[in-house]
Amino acid sequence: MKTKRSESLFQRATKLMPGGVNSPVRAFGSVGGSPVFIDHAQGSTVTDVDGNDYLDYVCSWGPLILGHAHPTVVATIQEAAVQGTSFGAATEKEVELAERVTRLVPSVEVVRFVSSGTEATMSALRLARGFTGRDRCIKFSGCYHGHTDAFLTDAGSGVATLGIPGSAGVPEGTARDTITLPYNDIDAVEAYMTEHGEEVAAIILEPIACNMGMVKPKPGFLSGLRRACDKSGTLLIFDEVITGFRVALGGAQELYGIKPDLTTFGKIIGAGLPVGAYGGRAEIMAKVAPMGPVYQAGTLSGNPLAMAAGIAALDELAKPGVYESLEEKGAYFEKGMANLLEKYGRPGFLNRCGSIFYLWLCPEVEGCPKDYADVKRGDPELYASFFRALLNRGVYLAPSSFEVGFISTAHTFDDLDKTLEKMDEAFAQALSGRANTQASSQKRPLTCSTIAGCTDCK
Ligand SMILES: *Cc1c(COP(=O)(O)O)cnc(C)c1O
């Protein structure tokens, strides 16, 4: 594998941008080595500036459920671009995308488009505060809601990868209004809400947590949150920036049958262009300016290229059989991984929901991870070795042991076979010289694909 151009670009980049990157995990800090610079991509494959091809399971961290440079999405963006890149005025495309979002996600009666997931969650929290007249919010350890001050406590994604508790620069007063509780611990939520429920504007969570690896909600967790919110007039916010249009057309709320008051979107809704959105009950959304007193605006909000891309993506996804096919591919990959994990002495666990998977390399797995503390028992060094061995063989996983992988509609069964073959070699390399700690353990599940998580494995 040639790396000369990537390395020289990285040297130039580190002098110009913090860590050489514009988002921290891209710097490969936790897996070692120098990051590959991508030149172009098509379908399931990205190609770096040295000409190396990789089967890609990062998929831009989730947006590219249709794969890279999907022909319809690209053509739509090209058509939109020649008509003008931004007007800062109302357009028909905004109406068209809003119609699709509200139709596909019934809890969202009214929606506002912004330019990133961070903006969506930040605005949803402001709205919840403005609507309830309360300041506090509850979030869960390991959940990531973008880089807004209020949500950087014990957060997932890059914050987890860097192994830091939060961020410098967040005022103490801001952090004080965020109560951070363990995911899946309904007792902790009820205890807090019984005492302070009337001071809590919102409970926000990823209905399937995908930024601390993958942690699924235990049966009763989401409905328990719904009940606790109803009791005290607190708004329930589902951050579906990853799960929206990914685990089902209607997102995780469709899958679990729980209706949040507000929902945030990002990633897939822009098909790889910068889009976010927040929406919910009309009565709540009526508080947003210019109708109501909660201010929120954006020069590029509802950008015509981004709206066009979103419309094209949602229309592709709404075609019959898309999610069934993604599930088939996910299940096929899971089966292959189960064989590999068995072959290599059970070094980990594969958690999956449809086309999202999390390979949890952890010496003492007993089933699905249930919260952030669980996920942190994993072995980031083993992951780093596995990651590098795979990268050298042309498979691109996320450069962090806390991130999930994504399968797109562009991934073929051939791609998956090739990936499993390379993973077989990568396990052999990464595990060579390691003692097999799992030899004596009794049979426990090696994978899980139910939406409830495995209930009888712990
Ligand atoms: C990626 C992500 C965000 C932040 O979105 P950006 O577009 O990166 O600002 C928020 N919430 C969740 C669940 C995410 O995965």
Side-chain angles (χ1 to χ4, degrees), residues 399-422:
S400 161
S401 61
F402 290 98
E403 302 283 358
V404 294
F406 297 98
I407 295 170
S408 78
T409 57
H411 287 79
T412 62
F413 286 97
D414 268 359
D415 289 339
L416 298 174
D417 280 339
K418 199 166 156 207
T419 302
L420 289 164
E421 219 174 89
K422 302 294 173 192

Side-chain angles (χ1 to χ4, degrees), residues 316-332:
E316 284 299 317
L317 292 173
K319 289 180 177 170
V322 171
Y323 291 89
E324 289 79 357
S325 159
L326 284 169
E327 168 61 29
E328 249 180 78
K329 289 174 189 172
Y332 184 83

